Amino acid sequence: MSVDTETVRRIAHLARIAVKEEALEPMTGELNTILDWVEQLGEVNTEGVEPMTRVVDTQLRWRQDEVTDGGYPERVTKNAPDGDDGFFTVPKVVE
Amino acid sequence: MTELTKLTMAEARDGLKAKEFTSVELTQAHVEAIESARALNCFVTETAERALEQAKQSDERLQSGQAGPMEGLPVAIKDLFCTEGVQTTASSHILEGFVPQYESTVSANLWRDGAVMLGKTNLDEFAMGSSNETSFFGNVVNPYRRPGDETPLVPGGSSGGSSAAVAARLALGATGTDTGGSIRQPASFTGIVGIKPTYGRCSRWGIVAFASSLDQAGPMTRTVRDAAIMLGSMAGFDPKDSTCVDRPVPNYEASLTGDVRGLKIGVPKEYRLDGMPGEIEALWQKGINWLKAAGAEIVDVSLPHTKYALPAYYIVAPAEASSNLARYDGVKYGLREEGTDIADMYEKTRAAGFGAEVQRRVMIGTYVLSAGYYDAYYLKAQKVRSLIAGDFKKVFETVDAILTPTAPSAAFGAGEKSDDPLSMYLNDVFTVTGNLAGLPGISVPAGVDGQGLPLGLQVVGKPFDEEMVLKIADVIESAADPIAAPQEWWKA
């Protein structure tokens, strides 16, 4: 499977990365090089093989569903490029 | 005082205990070494003041008999570990200026045991690279050079600042992280030791995530003993990482018995690559001979799906990265580029904040996870991953550990591979299998190539058998000719 520039434009939007019009073509080439190369996995017979879902054979732990952290909004928003009074701010999203 | 930087971590520890010098003196020597080595670009952030303050406190604890296992020992931290109050960038423009309000568990463990932080080391952006050429803060330069040739060589990646700093005697040890080979390959390129522990051995909490099912932290040091000391501090259970395993941390130093008699060491035929330099093949054979001479039994083994490890990795790792890196959106931390609406703001921020290799991987990851392609790519890769893990499981029914080269070449020149992602990806051909299967692997310096550049051998072990891996690496280290320290050309 290879991608065309239209697909790359769509992927870039899904990935929320602005790609300049003139960069679409070279990026398409780069992505296709990688996609062509991973294509060799098609040679492997994976009939009846379970996909790996955990690296180490162990059960995930359970814990009580209780609040164990928090209560310091000023620290949470400390690194926000445009934080305000314990809130994150974003451009207007509701008309 | 410069001779203090030549000590191994174990020697420095013993010297501090014997009161031959203080941690302040030891730390000051390293601070000065770092200042004189800025040409190597090992550090994104130097923390000399904090280091000397920590050293002072360590000296007090050493005096009062309350010393921890790493008391007063200056180390460097890869700039992927969040450090409270100290900028943490992942070597990305998008995180420039980010000052964490919390400490990663692994670094907190080191401070608990008395270690001193010299600074935050450079890396490939978000740990995506094998040469430290994708950092927003510039290339790291390998302290080793080809004879009579000033061409800058890469220190390996992604933990290239850590590997170069340890090799150049700027730190007694450094933390690294390894997603596809990012501790072991740079260790091989700079003539030092690097161990990637079993997945789950060290907590990932507070480490900037790249590919969560592959990432694992580990130490980078100049000797196997030092790796054992530092791993003992870094490892351990952490309830804040749901994949961190609750089992006791053994005394890793005690595993360095030098006795490998009767152990079965597997040599996988699939790791003999076409076109691999003869020097690497010869070094591998030397390693086999050393272990045989020490009484181990060499067993030919087969890991039939080895060939498919890299392509599987380049689906799984970008897929996980594209999810993990979704958090960099210009809202919560780091860079923000204004846009006409919120989506435009996200897109412009990420275009300006991520470098080319990160963008490439996020795009690949987004594609392989997108509707209609998930089964063909991601699910297929995870099935192949099961087969690769199964290969190891089968082999480990008959052998105690596996011996391979660490990387298919010695350090190469800056720019030699950076235009060709695929040839760069091939650096991890021998290491990536260990990440996919979650196994512990160590790179130990074993020799040099024809130009005097360091080469490493890799020992891979069973899950949570770091002790075996360290024990065998220690025997290789003892048998090999020591690799000469780099000439300090950067001190000009």
Side-chain angles (χ1 to χ4, degrees):
Chain A
M1 277 175 276
S2 60
V3 291
D4 55 23
T5 53
E6 212 32 62
T7 309
V8 173
R9 194 195 311 273
R10 188 173 60 82
I11 299 296
H13 181 61
L14 286 174
R16 298 290 186 267
I17 297 174
V19 178
K20 290 202 174 77
E21 206 50 41
E22 63 270 23
L24 279 173
E25 188 91 33
M27 191 174 251
T28 305
E30 285 166 15
L31 297 187
N32 277 330
T33 306
I34 297 167
L35 290 170
D36 287 349
W37 175 68
V38 301
E39 206 69 9
Q40 58 180 300
L41 292 184
E43 299 164 14
V44 187
N45 181 4
T46 51
E47 189 90 15
V49 177
E50 286 294 316
M52 187 186 261
T53 49
R54 69 182 111 167
V55 188
V56 170
D57 202 13
T58 178
Q59 289 287 327
L60 283 181
R61 293 182 301 278
W62 291 71
R63 65 165 175 82
Q64 290 300 320
D65 185 15
E66 58 193 14
V67 177
T68 57
D69 199 2
Y72 40 77
E74 67 295 340
R75 282 171 65 199
V76 173
T77 57
K78 178 123 183 157
N79 282 284
D82 192 23
D84 186 15
D85 198 21
F87 289 92
F88 295 113
T89 63
V90 293
K92 192 176 174 189
V93 287
V94 182
E95 289 307 321
Chain B
M1 218 44 107
T2 48
E3 70 274 11
L4 289 180
T5 61
K6 306 287 191 281
L7 300 174
T8 67
M9 190 179 283
E11 288 165 350
R13 175 189 62 183
D14 298 345
L16 284 171
K17 276 199 189 130
K19 310 239 180 342
E20 289 164 22
F21 45 83
T22 65
S23 174
V24 168
E25 288 167 338
L26 181 67
T27 302
Q28 182 63 33
H30 283 94
V31 165
E32 285 166 19
I34 290 169
E35 284 170 0
S36 71
R38 294 207 174 112
L40 299 177
N41 199 25
C42 294
F43 286 84
V44 175
T45 306
E46 297 173 11
T47 56
E49 268 180 42
R50 174 187 159 135
L52 290 164
E53 183 51 42
Q54 279 184 308
K56 217 172 106 192
Q57 292 170 14
S58 280
D59 282 332
E60 284 164 18
R61 285 193 291 271
L62 283 157
Q63 278 296 339
S64 62
Q66 293 170 304
M70 288 194 60
E71 197 67 61
L73 301 173
V75 298
I77 301 292
K78 186 178 185 179
D79 205 19
L80 202 64
F81 293 79
C82 287
T83 41
E84 189 173 355
V86 177
Q87 175 183 241
T88 300
T89 66
S91 282
S92 180
H93 184 37
I94 212 161
L95 267 180
E96 198 175 5
F98 170 61
V99 179
Q101 303 297 299
Y102 49 87
E103 187 77 24
S104 83
T105 297
V106 161
S107 54
N109 289 348
L110 289 168
W111 317 144
R112 174 203 65 203
D113 284 354
V116 167
M117 178 165 86
L118 292 164
K120 305 294 294 290
T121 56
N122 205 336
L123 63 145
D124 278 297
E125 185 180 5
F126 283 106
M128 296 180 190
S130 304
S131 62
N132 219 117
E133 292 174 288
T134 71
S135 168
F136 179 71
F137 302 99
N139 295 356
V140 175
V141 180
N142 193 323
Y144 286 94
R145 284 172 163 178
R146 295 172 184 136
D149 183 349
E150 296 191 357
T151 308
L153 302 180
V154 305
S158 66
S159 311
S162 289
S163 70
V166 173
R169 275 68 178 164
L170 311 184
L172 293 174
T175 61
T177 61
D178 191 314
T179 303
S182 282
I183 286 175
R184 294 160 286 165
Q185 181 257 16
S188 179
F189 276 21
T190 56
I192 66 167
V193 175
I195 178 166
K196 181 203 89 77
T198 312
Y199 184 82
R201 182 69 283 189
C202 290
S203 170
R204 291 181 295 106
W205 194 83
I207 301 173
V208 175
F210 163 13
S212 302
S213 78
L214 301 160
D215 298 343
Q216 184 59 203
M220 304 173 79
T221 55
R222 289 194 291 273
T223 69
V224 174
R225 180 168 301 276
D226 291 357
I229 294 170
M230 196 166 164
L231 178 60
S233 277
M234 293 170 67
F237 175 58
D238 176 15
K240 287 186 288 201
D241 172 1
S242 65
T243 61
C244 188
V245 174
D246 188 3
R247 55 191 292 155
V249 179
N251 177 356
Y252 290 119
E253 243 186 310
S255 65
L256 310 180
T257 60
D259 185 4
V260 295
R261 283 174 300 170
L263 292 182
K264 290 197 170 77
I265 313 288
V267 173
K269 61 171 190 248
E270 289 81 6
Y271 283 55
R272 286 181 207 286
L273 297 184
D274 292 340
M276 186 162 80
E279 292 155 330
I280 306 258
E281 178 83 39
L283 185 78
W284 195 7
Q285 190 54 51
K286 266 191 188 171
I288 290 169
N289 295 344
W290 292 329
L291 291 175
K292 253 192 214 167
E297 185 189 334
I298 303 298
V299 183
D300 287 322
V301 296
S302 174
L303 297 163
H305 296 93
T306 299
K307 181 184 165 200
Y308 301 104
L310 266 180
Y313 175 85
Y314 275 96
I315 291 173
V316 174
E320 295 185 11
S322 77
S323 301
N324 275 325
L325 271 56
R327 72 191 69 177
Y328 305 104
D329 58 3
V331 175
K332 298 181 286 297
Y333 25 61
L335 184 76
R336 172 185 287 198
E337 294 283 316
E338 298 303 333
T340 52
D341 56 23
I342 194 166
D344 192 46
M345 187 268 282
Y346 292 154
E347 294 191 0
K348 284 186 173 141
T349 296
R350 291 160 65 80
F354 291 147
E357 180 62 22
V358 173
Q359 292 194 20
R360 188 151 45 227
R361 296 204 200 184
V362 168
M363 294 279 289
I364 288 282
T366 304
Y367 178 66
V368 301
L369 291 178
S370 65
Y373 297 98
Y374 177 87
D375 286 3
Y377 287 109
Y378 189 73
L379 204 64
K380 179 80 182 182
Q382 288 289 51
K383 287 178 179 175
V384 172
R385 196 174 169 187
S386 287
L387 292 170
I388 289 164
D391 285 354
F392 279 103
K393 203 167 178 185
K394 190 153 169 249
V395 164
F396 279 128
E397 285 168 9
T398 53
V399 302
D400 298 293
I402 294 169
L403 180 74
T404 79
T406 303
S409 76
F412 46 86
E416 279 174 19
K417 296 190 180 186
S418 47
D419 291 340
D420 179 1
L422 285 189
S423 96
M424 188 67 86
Y425 295 174
L426 287 173
N427 270 288
D428 290 336
V429 64
F430 301 136
T431 48
V432 73
T433 48
N435 300 83
L436 290 169
L439 302 170
I442 195 169
S443 178
V444 57
V448 291
D449 75 353
Q451 297 182 299
L453 298 178
L455 296 169
L457 286 174
Q458 176 181 230
V459 181
V460 179
K462 296 174 187 174
F464 299 102
D465 203 1
E466 281 78 11
E467 289 162 286
M468 176 69 71
V469 163
L470 287 161
K471 184 209 297 266
I472 295 167
D474 178 52
V475 167
I476 294 173
E477 183 182 58
S478 302
D481 292 327
I483 294 175
Q487 307 275 335
E488 293 179 329
W489 52 265
W490 55 87
K491 279 192 169 165

